């Protein structure tokens, strides 16, 4: 019970090292079992489960570098393609492609901040963009500068001081 509560991030009703003291407050084993079952049931109520959108977002975040399409996602999640697009739009405020690009661009930003040697073409390929020119255009729309400019500015801002 303790491990299950901890795995789910729930607050323990007792000190983590001392569940036996907590058990002493119940008149019998049946009362303790009832409390345990109730708390476990509460953990697994639908409100505590990831939503379909959360699962879709996690999938996109994991496979952003793949050539993802809405059709592929609809097959993975067994949802109608039109419904899936509407769900993404309603939940994120973005179309599927805009959400995918946002995730890819967040990764691009991280890579550019930590790697000053990767070529823009290789970066675009790594992120799942099929065209470096398109990647550069999308990056510039998001950040107001080309990836190479972004890297140069970031590089100069974080160079060691002498």
């Amino acid at each position: 019970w303790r491990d299950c509560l901890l795995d789910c991030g729930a607050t323990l009703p007792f000190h983590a090292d001392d569940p036996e003291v907590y058990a002493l407050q119940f008149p019998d084993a049946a009362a303790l079992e009832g409390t345990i079952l109730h708390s476990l049931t509460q953990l697994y109520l639908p409100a505590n489960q990831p939503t379909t959108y959360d699962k879709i977002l996690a999938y996109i975040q994991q496979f952003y570098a793949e050539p993802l399409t809405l059709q592929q996602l609809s097959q993975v999640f067994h949802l109608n393609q039109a419904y899936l697009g509407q769900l993404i739009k309603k939940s994120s405020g973005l179309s599927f492609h805009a959400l995918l690009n946002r995730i890819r661009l967040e990764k691009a930003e991280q890579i550019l901040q930590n790697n000053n040697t990767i070529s823009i073409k290789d970066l675009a390929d790594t992120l799942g963009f099929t065209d470096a020119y398109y990647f550069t255009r999308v990056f510039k729309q998001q950040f107001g500068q080309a990836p190479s400019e972004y890297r140069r500015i970031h590089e100069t801002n974080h160079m060691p001081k002498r």
Side-chain angles (χ1 to χ4, degrees), residues 1-14 39-40 43-44:
W1 179 44
R2 179 190 67 211
D3 294 342
C4 188
L5 290 171
L6 289 171
D7 288 347
C8 293
T11 304
L12 297 176
F14 50 83
S39 67
L40 291 175
L43 284 176
Y44 295 104

Side-chain angles (χ1 to χ4, degrees), residues 107-116 150-151 154-155 158:
K107 300 295 181 183
E109 187 177 25
Q110 292 170 359
I111 292 170
L112 287 170
Q113 289 175 0
N114 297 310
N115 184 332
N116 60 1
Y150 181 91
R151 176 173 40 210
H154 181 78
E155 203 172 56
H158 295 285

Side-chain angles (χ1 to χ4, degrees), residues 63 70 81 103 105 122 128 141:
F63 296 105
L70 199 53
Q81 188 173 333
I103 291 168
L105 291 174
D122 289 344
Q141 285 175 339

Side-chain angles (χ1 to χ4, degrees), residues 54-79:
D54 292 334
K55 292 174 187 175
I56 292 166
L57 182 60
Y59 185 89
I60 294 170
Q61 288 173 331
Q62 183 174 358
F63 296 105
Y64 67 89
E66 303 296 322
L68 289 177
T69 65
L70 199 53
Q71 181 179 6
Q72 290 169 324
L73 278 180
S74 69
Q75 291 171 353
V76 169
F77 288 97
H78 306 289
L79 295 171

